[in-house]
Amino acid sequence: MTSTSSPTLWTPSARVRGSLAVVTGRGERAGVYERFGRRLSADGYTVAVFEEDADAASAWLGATTDAPRVLVGADAGASAVLRLVAQGASVDAAVVAGTLVDAELDLPSAEERTACPLHLGVLAAEATSVDVAVAEPLPAPADLAAVEVPVLAIHGGADPVSPIAAVSTALRSVPDLEILETVDGLHDALNDQTHRSVAAALVQWLERLRGGDVRTPLVRAYRTAAVATA
């Protein structure tokens, strides 16, 4: 079991391009994010996973000099991350996945979380009988409006736990918000069948963040002007 004072870490083999502190969802162990951590570290980002402890994740980021420093929260961890950035946590951005609109929802089944066979196996292996803490609610719209850093929300288009339309409405007061939908995706947006595409999209977003503006593309389709014909 990972302690909050000593997170599970995946570190790049060469130059560090930034730091991500992941706050797990309800009842999740750090091992659920091994595939995610390995993939992001391969692209140059240190990934530290904290088991349901957003405050420890924020403190860890505050102690690192490897920027950009990004808080990542899944399921109930998303609400905690949004609370911290609304309160002015010393981070450069936030990523939320599978955000809960209703904090009182029961734990989803594995089949509601993912359609990925490998991730289903991970969930079974990492299952825990520890009592699950009650999720904190999303911050109020006025608090979300005070968020001063970019926020990327990744959400399953077919999430049966927290529908994407409700999440979009709940987060709309965040000033700098981008929402990515995993097509036909379920609740575990970082680890579902589209995990490769999600990781790639996240790395692109992180690279734009490193460039100073998440809205400015670094790679785009090249379109030539139509040649006028007589």
Side-chain angles (χ1 to χ4, degrees):
M1 185 79 172
T2 303
S3 68
T4 55
S5 59
S6 180
T8 297
L9 279 171
W10 286 275
T11 57
S13 58
R15 178 188 174 194
V16 177
R17 299 183 65 77
S19 306
L20 281 68
V22 180
V23 183
T24 65
R26 294 166 294 168
E28 287 185 332
R29 295 178 182 270
V32 170
Y33 293 90
E34 179 175 0
R35 180 170 63 184
F36 176 82
R38 291 188 183 279
R39 180 160 290 133
L40 271 292
S41 66
D43 274 305
Y45 292 88
T46 298
V47 179
V49 179
F50 295 80
E51 294 178 352
E52 300 185 71
D53 195 335
D55 294 311
S58 180
W60 180 84
L61 279 178
T64 185
T65 58
D66 295 322
R69 299 165 300 163
V70 182
L71 268 176
V72 181
D75 185 70
S79 299
V81 162
L82 289 167
R83 167 179 57 81
L84 287 171
V85 293
Q87 292 172 348
S90 183
V91 299
D92 299 301
V95 176
V96 292
T99 304
L100 291 178
V101 174
D102 184 353
E104 297 182 359
L105 287 172
D106 292 335
L107 281 175
S109 67
E111 290 72 24
E112 290 175 311
R113 294 178 62 173
T114 183
C116 172
L118 181 59
H119 190 51
L120 282 169
V122 171
L123 291 177
E126 295 289 340
T128 176
S129 59
V130 175
D131 289 339
V132 176
V134 177
E136 65 177 271
L138 279 174
D143 294 324
L144 291 176
V147 173
E148 296 182 348
V149 297
V151 175
L152 175 66
I154 305 172
H155 208 86
D159 187 342
V161 179
S162 193
I164 189 170
V167 171
S168 175
T169 298
L171 299 182
R172 63 186 175 188
S173 59
V174 176
D176 191 350
L177 173 69
E178 180 178 349
I179 299 179
L180 294 182
E181 175 187 0
T182 64
V183 179
D184 296 326
L186 301 179
H187 187 60
D188 283 15
L190 299 179
N191 286 307
D192 202 5
Q193 287 193 113
T194 53
H195 59 91
R196 293 179 181 84
S197 296
V198 166
L202 176 54
V203 168
Q204 290 183 340
W205 187 82
L206 290 168
E207 291 296 303
R208 297 197 300 272
L209 180 65
R210 279 175 50 83
D213 184 358
V214 293
R215 299 295 182 179
T216 301
L218 300 177
V219 179
R220 63 188 178 190
Y222 176 67
R223 294 184 175 87
T224 56
V227 177
T229 55

